[in-house]
Amino acid sequence: MIQLLVTDRNLSVVGDPIASWTSLTVDRNRNAPAAGTVTLPALPEVMKQLQPGNRLIVLRDRAVWCAGPLEEPQDYAWDLTQNAGPGTVTVRFSDDLARIAGYLTYPEPTKAFTAQDTVMDRQRTFTGQNAETVIRQLVNENCGPAALTARRIEHLVLDDVAGVGSTITLSTRFEPLLEACRTAATTDALGIRTRQVGDQIRFGVYAPRDLTGSARFSAGLGNLRSVRFTLGAPTATSELVQGGGDPDTTATPPNVRVYVEVASGAQADWYRVEKLVDKTGTLDDVGGELTQAGQLALGDDNPQASLATVTVDTEDLQAGRDYDLGDRVTVVLPTGLEVVDVVQTIRLEATPDEGELVTTVVGDSDKTTTTATVRAVRDLARRLGRIEARG
């Protein structure tokens, strides 16, 4: 059962639950803000709730499925020829990770922007620290409880420590906060998320769970309705990372360039494609910063293979309860081939008349797709090609 509530920025409900909605779509994304749309009659009591600064909470079976700010509170339409009554309004919303995505990393987070160091390009640097600790600190000092009062997100707190991640080094300066967090998460493929619990917005870090044995999708299990795949060449297989300072022979000691190559295993399957990644200002790779930059770039440039599945919840396997974003799951294709990869997106579509449909995307090429998945999808393409040829 779906229920919609509108709150103000302080998480207080501002009216009655919205019961007259006609369609709802919510995409929850791994390490990226959610994207949701709801369409409903433009009744006066509803329009009163859909105001700038308010939030929407989507409850599914009485649990919070998605909660976050209204990004387009009112997209209104009325047409006399269609007997539209009060008209319709389409609302677009996100989750609270979108609020965090709206911030930059201050080099000196305890100072206002106008008071930042004017003499040199100071960076906020974390040396040899745990990845989860770095991510939590970035959020805490830029928009969390430890941030300047004007920069704090209302009711945002840090979630419980998960105890995940390895040691990394990270430097950042006026970079989008979410991108800095994603960079810190790259080495261990960590997940970052917000969730509303009572009157708190909790930001936390988590490690992917290996659910390949328990979270399985197949036609035989009755939880797989359809499969779509795409296959394309990588946009880069060798990330050529250029670090160091700008060359200056008059400096003492002289500034020098530092070069690190991060190669993808996909090069063996495809061919070599080079891409330059400029990290000028990162003086060395002692803490692995240049390597991290290359790994993050490979996440976008890996072979463009993705596997999208249309699934249905069963008593044994339900999205949000038995598996979630970032978990490694197994999809059994009609050919018998099994594909294992990470859940990147979970889409919830619902109408009052037709009920709910859950769609999962595994191995989305916008994130990191393993060579194993590319190989599996390629194998499926070849098998289907042979079937087509025989037909």
Side-chain angles (χ1 to χ4, degrees):
M1 182 181 71
I2 302 294
Q3 188 177 25
L4 305 180
L5 300 174
V6 177
T7 77
D8 60 18
R9 64 178 66 243
N10 289 310
L11 279 60
S12 299
V13 177
V14 298
D16 294 331
I18 297 177
S20 56
W21 57 278
T22 57
S23 66
L24 171 73
T25 301
V26 184
D27 286 341
R28 293 172 52 226
N29 303 305
R30 177 174 177 265
N31 291 3
T37 302
V38 60
T39 302
L40 56 156
L43 301 172
E45 60 270 23
V46 172
M47 300 297 285
K48 186 178 180 180
Q49 297 184 48
L50 304 177
Q51 299 299 319
N54 284 349
R55 304 167 63 255
L56 185 69
I57 301 176
V58 178
L59 297 171
R60 185 185 184 214
D61 297 331
R62 300 184 180 181
V64 177
W65 180 262
C66 181
L70 302 179
E71 296 194 322
E72 291 185 14
Q74 299 183 16
D75 184 352
Y76 175 74
W78 181 86
D79 189 337
L80 176 64
T81 63
Q82 297 183 14
N83 190 27
T88 61
V89 60
T90 299
V91 181
R92 295 175 180 86
F93 61 95
S94 186
D95 60 11
D96 291 304
L97 200 60
R99 292 287 308 275
I100 293 173
Y103 284 75
L104 301 179
T105 57
Y106 278 19
E108 299 174 286
T110 60
K111 298 180 181 179
F113 175 73
T114 54
Q116 298 292 308
D117 196 320
T118 59
V119 177
M120 59 181 291
D121 285 346
R122 182 186 297 275
Q123 292 185 321
R124 181 70 171 100
T125 300
F126 302 85
T127 303
Q129 297 188 38
N130 170 265
E132 179 187 10
T133 301
V134 171
I135 295 169
R136 289 168 61 90
Q137 183 65 23
L138 281 170
V139 171
N140 188 34
E141 66 188 20
N142 283 285
C143 62
L148 296 173
T149 302
R151 302 187 75 206
R152 293 175 191 164
I153 295 176
E154 301 84 355
H155 297 271
L156 178 66
V157 300
L158 297 180
D159 211 336
D160 296 335
V161 174
V164 297
S166 57
T167 299
I168 65 168
T169 293
L170 179 77
S171 296
T172 180
R173 171 184 167 80
F174 295 127
E175 179 184 5
L177 175 56
L178 186 58
E179 289 307 305
C181 292
R182 283 163 53 97
T183 299
T186 298
T187 301
D188 303 295
L190 299 178
I192 52 181
R193 64 188 172 195
T194 57
R195 59 192 186 103
Q196 181 174 334
V197 180
D199 62 353
Q200 293 181 331
I201 299 170
R202 298 184 182 181
F203 172 84
V205 182
Y206 65 95
R209 297 179 296 177
D210 186 354
L211 302 180
T212 53
S214 60
R216 296 174 61 85
F217 301 96
S218 72
L221 292 173
N223 57 12
L224 183 64
R225 289 290 180 86
S226 66
V227 176
R228 291 188 60 185
F229 70 88
T230 59
L231 179 65
T235 54
T237 61
S238 289
E239 306 290 350
L240 308 180
V241 187
Q242 174 181 267
D246 290 319
D248 181 359
T249 57
T250 64
T252 305
N255 291 334
V256 296
R257 287 291 189 189
V258 179
Y259 302 103
V260 172
E261 179 175 354
V262 181
S264 168
Q267 186 167 308
D269 296 333
W270 295 86
Y271 35 74
R272 183 179 179 88
V273 183
E274 299 176 343
K275 178 180 177 181
L276 182 66
V277 179
D278 189 2
K279 289 290 291 183
T280 298
T282 302
L283 301 182
D284 56 53
D285 196 40
V286 174
E289 286 186 85
L290 299 179
T291 299
Q292 289 172 7
Q295 292 172 337
L296 189 64
L298 281 180
D300 295 326
D301 297 332
N302 265 336
Q304 305 300 296
S306 64
L307 181 69
T309 64
V310 177
T311 68
V312 291
D313 282 351
T314 65
E315 289 296 325
D316 297 327
L317 189 63
Q318 294 184 16
R321 186 193 72 181
D322 303 305
Y323 71 94
D324 217 321
L325 296 172
D327 292 335
R328 293 180 63 82
V329 300
T330 301
V331 178
V332 182
L333 303 177
T335 60
L337 190 68
E338 295 189 359
V339 176
V340 173
D341 213 319
V342 173
V343 176
Q344 299 288 1
T345 298
I346 299 178
R347 165 173 282 199
L348 171 64
E349 297 177 273
T351 65
D353 296 331
E354 298 180 4
E356 304 172 12
L357 178 67
V358 176
T359 304
T360 61
V361 177
V362 180
D364 191 318
S365 61
D366 288 338
K367 314 296 188 298
T368 300
T369 302
T370 64
T371 304
T373 294
V374 174
R375 188 175 296 112
V377 172
R378 180 187 61 192
D379 190 13
L380 174 61
R382 289 175 175 173
R383 293 188 190 190
L384 293 180
R386 295 190 188 105
I387 294 172
E388 182 71 18
R390 288 198 300 268

